[in-house]
């Protein structure tokens, strides 16, 4: 059963990865670049300062730093523990995929840190701003989906790597938001 699932994952990956074209490569390379999200992060910081004030925003920054650290390191733990090759290293897929990036990255890819981190941020801030900036939640989830899909497009993650990362990141985003609220209440901020 697991072998069938992994084979289907490979087939879906090859199909989705080969939908790409040189016309769109620049856009997807931009979306997969971690630095391309800085304007979004600055906007979120400005909205947080406006909505929460300085003390709550400082606690928010600590919470986000911890969230990304945990999300990223959990992804690394699974990559090493599971040991699933990235598609760009899989000899069975040689010649069947488009590797858009100059390099493939680390040898193992389960689960995607890009997907996990982007969904963690999206879900955390979606909960934080759900009353004051409702549309922002949908924009953040769309952004996380695009960042996650970019990993398939550029050829470095299977769909299950991305889906697992999105689920793990969503859970961590929710959990760290709850911890942030709990801490605010305990500190009476």
């Amino acid at each position: 059963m697991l072998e069938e699932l992994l084979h289907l994952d490979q087939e879906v990956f090859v199909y989705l990865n080969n939908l790409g074209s040189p016309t769109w490569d620049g856009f997807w390379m931009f979306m997969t670049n971690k630095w391309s999200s800085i304007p979004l992060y600055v906007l979120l910081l400005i909205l947080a300062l406006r909505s929460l004030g300085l003390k709550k925003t400082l606690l928010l920054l600590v919470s986000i730093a911890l969230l990304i650290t945990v999300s990223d390191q959990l992804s690394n733990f699974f990559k090493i523990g599971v040991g699933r090759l990235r598609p760009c290293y899989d000899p069975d897929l040689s010649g069947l995929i488009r590797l858009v990036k100059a390099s493939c990255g680390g040898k193992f890819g389960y689960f995607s840190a890009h997907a996990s981190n982007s969904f963690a941020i999206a879900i955390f801030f979606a909960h934080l701003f759900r009353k004051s900036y409702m549309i922002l939640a949908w924009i953040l989830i769309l952004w996380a989906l695009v960042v996650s899909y970019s990993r398939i497009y550029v050829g470095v993650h299977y769909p299950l790597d991305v889906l697992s990362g999105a689920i793990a990141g969503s859970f961590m985003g929710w959990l760290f938001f709850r911890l942030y609220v709990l801490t605010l209440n305990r500190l009476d901020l």
Side-chain angles (χ1 to χ4, degrees):
M1 168 109 171
L2 180 61
E3 285 298 320
E4 291 173 15
L5 179 63
L6 294 176
H7 181 71
L8 178 62
D9 195 29
Q10 281 185 330
E11 288 180 357
V12 172
F13 168 78
V14 170
Y15 175 76
L16 292 174
N17 176 256
N18 281 289
L19 290 176
S21 71
T23 305
W24 286 96
D25 289 354
F27 169 77
W28 291 106
M29 283 298 294
F30 176 78
M31 291 310 300
T32 208
N33 186 323
K34 63 184 174 186
W35 302 111
S36 66
S37 298
I38 288 178
L40 177 63
Y41 299 152
V42 169
L43 173 65
L44 292 172
L45 179 61
I46 291 168
L47 292 175
L49 277 167
R50 242 177 83 192
S51 300
L52 305 171
L54 184 60
K55 286 181 182 179
K56 290 180 183 178
T57 300
L58 289 174
L59 180 61
L60 174 89
L61 290 174
V62 171
S63 300
I64 292 298
L66 290 171
L67 169 61
I68 295 303
T69 300
V70 170
S71 174
D72 205 55
Q73 292 310 305
L74 186 63
S75 171
N76 289 334
F77 175 79
F78 271 87
K79 285 177 184 173
I80 294 165
V82 172
R84 184 180 190 198
L85 291 175
R86 288 179 186 263
C88 44
Y89 287 121
D90 190 336
D92 294 340
L93 299 181
S94 181
L96 298 176
I97 67 171
R98 299 176 72 244
L99 180 60
V100 179
K101 288 184 68 172
S103 68
C104 190
K107 189 174 182 181
F108 303 120
Y110 185 83
F111 56 84
S112 168
H114 275 72
S116 181
N117 294 343
S118 61
F119 269 93
I121 293 286
I123 297 303
F124 184 99
F125 280 99
H127 282 289
L128 183 69
F129 292 133
R130 70 178 173 256
K131 292 179 184 169
S132 53
Y133 301 104
M134 180 75 157
I135 189 73
L136 184 61
W138 295 109
I139 292 169
L140 289 170
I141 290 169
L142 177 62
W143 162 77
L145 285 167
V146 169
V147 168
S148 297
Y149 178 75
S150 75
R151 306 307 288 166
I152 298 168
Y153 184 97
V154 301
V156 297
H157 280 294
Y158 290 105
L160 283 178
D161 300 347
V162 169
L163 180 62
S164 299
I167 291 168
S170 295
F171 173 73
M172 285 183 276
W174 171 82
L175 178 64
F176 273 77
F177 173 74
R178 299 304 316 152
L179 292 171
Y180 172 72
V181 170
L182 181 67
T183 305
L184 284 177
N185 291 337
R186 295 272 171 139
L187 295 176
D188 200 26
L189 291 176

